[in-house]
Amino acid sequence: IPDRIAIGTYMIASAITGGSLEVDKVIRNHMEPICEKLRLSGCDINYTKNGLILNSPKKINAIDLIKTYPHPGFPTDMQAQIMALMTLSDGVSVFYETVFENRFMHCAELIRMGANIKHITENICIVKGVDNLYSANVKCTDLRGGASLVLASLATEGKTEISDIYHIERGYENFEIVLKNLGANIIKLKES
């Protein structure tokens, strides 16, 4: 079956860069919790016969509450990626993580890129959108947090270097190649 987390990640890559994306194979009811949040952010999403088309908004709307749930709710594995998007929104978003402890490990790295994130409790944080994120040298702390750093770096000027990408590689097949094919300026460096 199509990987809803990978598809959702590429949808956010498109949204954070102001692009559009067509996906040829999706299972609609698997995608709907993710699409619902992206629609709230301003994305225009339409299903086709077997896939979907996403067009990004001119401005990213803040989402009042992003609360993770077990399937079929909004997946914890998309929380970090949508947080990267909300760092550039026009307001305040509250994240309430109910599934996975330590899911906010990526926040410190997003803050290094200029994000305005405040931890309230171990499972609640607040993101206030900023006008711009900045290039930085950051480190993957986990699979989905690492993906969020890549997404955030797509929206920065200059060069961002992300280390410990082995976290990302265990969850995304040819991540940098897919992003490059979608128009990203991304290079995977060889280990020295």
Side-chain angles (χ1 to χ4, degrees), residues 76-117:
T76 185
D77 284 344
M78 284 301 301
Q79 180 262 105
Q81 298 93 308
I82 204 153
M83 184 181 287
L85 183 65
M86 290 300 99
T87 64
L88 292 169
S89 72
D90 67 351
V92 176
S93 301
V94 175
F95 284 79
Y96 183 14
E97 176 59 53
T98 68
V99 178
F100 181 66
E101 72 283 349
N102 295 326
R103 185 55 94 182
F104 293 141
M105 295 186 298
H106 60 283
C107 293
E109 299 302 299
L110 287 171
I111 290 168
R112 294 184 67 205
M113 297 177 77
N116 184 348
I117 301 171

Side-chain angles (χ1 to χ4, degrees), residues 38-190:
L38 288 173
R39 284 187 194 101
L40 289 172
S41 78
C43 292
D44 178 40
I45 301 168
N46 294 293
Y47 289 100
T48 61
K49 183 177 179 186
N50 295 315
L52 61 78
I53 298 172
L54 174 140
N55 290 298
S56 301
K58 293 195 184 318
K59 114 184 141 150
I60 300 165
N61 298 325
I63 301 171
D64 292 340
L65 177 64
I66 296 140
K67 184 176 180 180
T68 61
Y69 292 98
H71 183 73
F74 184 78
T76 185
D77 284 344
M78 284 301 301
Q79 180 262 105
Q81 298 93 308
I82 204 153
M83 184 181 287
L85 183 65
M86 290 300 99
T87 64
L88 292 169
S89 72
D90 67 351
V92 176
S93 301
V94 175
F95 284 79
Y96 183 14
E97 176 59 53
T98 68
V99 178
F100 181 66
E101 72 283 349
N102 295 326
R103 185 55 94 182
F104 293 141
M105 295 186 298
H106 60 283
C107 293
E109 299 302 299
L110 287 171
I111 290 168
R112 294 184 67 205
M113 297 177 77
N116 184 348
I117 301 171
K118 304 259 187 287
H119 279 84
I120 305 305
T121 68
E122 67 181 18
N123 59 350
I124 298 174
C125 72
I126 295 175
V127 176
K128 183 177 181 188
V130 297
D131 291 333
N132 298 297
L133 295 174
Y134 303 99
S135 299
N137 291 338
V138 292
K139 182 177 182 177
C140 293
T141 55
D142 64 281
L143 168 57
R144 305 308 175 187
S148 77
L149 299 177
V150 173
L151 297 175
S153 70
L154 294 174
T156 65
E157 298 274 335
K159 195 182 302 183
T160 294
E161 188 170 319
I162 303 170
S163 62
D164 290 351
I165 63 168
Y166 63 88
H167 290 293
I168 299 169
E169 291 177 321
R170 67 184 178 79
Y172 294 91
E173 187 175 357
N174 301 315
F175 195 43
E176 76 284 355
I177 294 169
V178 173
L179 288 172
K180 188 177 282 192
N181 289 338
L182 293 173
N185 182 1
I186 184 171
I187 298 169
K188 179 178 171 182
L189 300 175
K190 303 281 186 220

